[in-house]
Amino acid sequence: MESVDFMFGKIHKDIPVPMYYQIKQVILTAIKNGLLQPGEMLPTELAFCEQYEVSRPTIRQALNELVIEGYLCRLKGKGTFVSSPKIEAKFLSKLQNFNDEMLAKGLTPSTKVITFKVISGVQDINNRLKRPNSEKLFYLERVRFANGEPVVYVETFFSYDQFQKLENVDFVSESLYDSMKLKCNCTVARVNRMIEAVSVSQKEATLLEIVKGSAAMLVKTTAFTKQGIPVEYSIARYRGDRNQFSVELELE
């Protein structure tokens, strides 16, 4: 049986299994066995081609599938790397701020504020917040990090008239919901979240340090007080290669 050896394992050229699939499985086994560690850069496509004596499209198909499945990630201008284990978030079933959730997982959270400013009312968003269309909004644009790696890009909107006291809050270190409670006596009691799969734009890819068109989870959140008053609306894009969401349900 003809086979080709490489540092990650063998492929066999005389069996009816596609070459790309064999190479994919060899790389996947190396990841699962710890031969390839999170953050480690893979050899170039050309190196794979030379070692396995296969075409570049064959290698590219194997790597692309592993990227889509979250085992690998591509950094523009740098190469292809082994992904870190995904961050499992329970925010679909538990109301918890980002910093507390990351700390509970043993990760170090941090935040970069891209923009925090007052904007004119946006009809769709003002309607969601049940505010007059002419009412100004706060617009807060942030990237959230876990252990220094960007994992989510989020745009947040809330009423300027209702939350003027938050104008000088430093959202690099302060929680929005905590600030609403402490400075404005407004407590978020529940949220509604809508989730869909999307591909990131060039801007989003740059902020999240991934390739344009990469998979992300788009999460639209509306936050309500105990009285059912909507006070915040956000649009977040979670990196598909670094996040997974879990929900635990019980029969009544």
Side-chain angles (χ1 to χ4, degrees):
M1 179 179 291
E2 181 187 2
S3 65
V4 180
D5 243 329
F6 194 43
M7 63 177 294
F8 303 137
K10 294 181 178 181
I11 64 169
H12 303 281
K13 294 192 171 184
D14 52 358
I15 62 174
V17 178
M19 292 294 100
Y20 88 88
Y21 184 80
Q22 291 190 55
I23 293 168
K24 174 186 173 181
Q25 293 304 310
V26 162
I27 297 171
L28 184 56
T29 299
I31 293 171
K32 292 182 175 181
N33 290 345
L35 182 60
L36 284 170
Q37 293 292 319
E40 186 173 344
M41 185 170 73
L42 266 69
T44 65
E45 291 181 0
L46 181 59
F48 274 111
C49 292
E50 292 176 347
Q51 290 291 330
Y52 281 125
E53 299 175 356
V54 296
S55 68
R56 199 157 192 166
T58 297
I59 298 299
R60 190 164 292 149
Q61 184 174 357
L63 297 179
N64 283 346
E65 290 198 2
L66 289 169
V67 169
I68 292 170
E69 293 170 14
Y71 293 103
L72 301 176
C73 62
R74 289 194 177 95
L75 300 182
K76 189 173 182 180
K78 296 181 180 179
T80 303
F81 296 80
V82 179
S83 298
S84 299
K86 290 190 177 184
I87 299 168
E88 183 177 353
K90 293 186 177 293
F91 88 142
L92 297 182
S93 55
K94 184 177 182 180
L95 187 55
Q96 186 178 34
N97 70 47
F98 178 85
N99 283 0
D100 288 347
E101 184 163 15
M102 294 303 102
L103 289 170
K105 298 179 183 304
L107 303 171
T108 301
S110 58
T111 297
K112 179 180 181 181
V113 174
I114 308 299
T115 305
F116 181 42
K117 63 183 180 181
V118 180
I119 64 172
S120 300
V122 180
Q123 183 175 350
D124 176 61
I125 295 171
N126 285 47
N127 288 343
R128 291 175 184 273
L129 295 174
K130 299 190 183 306
R131 311 301 295 186
N133 289 339
S134 59
E135 186 173 309
K136 292 183 291 186
L137 300 169
F138 276 119
Y139 173 62
L140 175 60
E141 183 183 23
R142 294 172 289 177
V143 178
R144 316 302 295 269
F145 298 78
N147 287 352
E149 182 180 35
V151 293
V152 57
Y153 164 60
V154 58
E155 299 172 279
T156 302
F157 303 84
F158 49 102
S159 164
Y160 173 75
D161 288 352
Q162 193 175 5
F163 297 106
Q164 286 187 46
K165 292 181 180 179
L166 304 187
E167 192 162 15
N168 296 315
V169 171
D170 181 6
F171 287 109
V172 169
S173 56
E174 299 297 328
S175 160
L176 174 59
Y177 290 176
D178 287 350
S179 298
M180 286 180 165
K181 181 177 181 179
L182 294 172
K183 294 182 178 293
C184 303
N185 194 31
C186 176
T187 301
V188 171
R190 68 179 179 87
V191 300
N192 174 269
R193 290 191 167 110
M194 299 291 291
I195 301 174
E196 61 182 291
V198 296
S199 299
V200 296
S201 67
Q202 183 58 66
K203 176 184 176 179
E204 295 154 4
T206 299
L207 291 172
L208 292 172
E209 298 180 10
I210 52 179
V211 177
K212 178 184 176 182
S214 296
M217 287 167 280
L218 179 69
V219 181
K220 298 178 181 179
T221 299
T222 305
F224 299 85
T225 65
K226 188 175 182 180
Q227 293 74 32
I229 300 170
V231 292
E232 176 248 5
Y233 177 70
S234 68
I235 305 170
R237 294 161 182 84
Y238 287 79
R239 281 176 53 171
D241 65 327
R242 295 296 293 113
N243 295 277
Q244 62 183 14
F245 303 144
S246 66
V247 181
E248 184 174 319
L249 303 174
E250 293 183 5
L251 290 174
E252 295 184 355

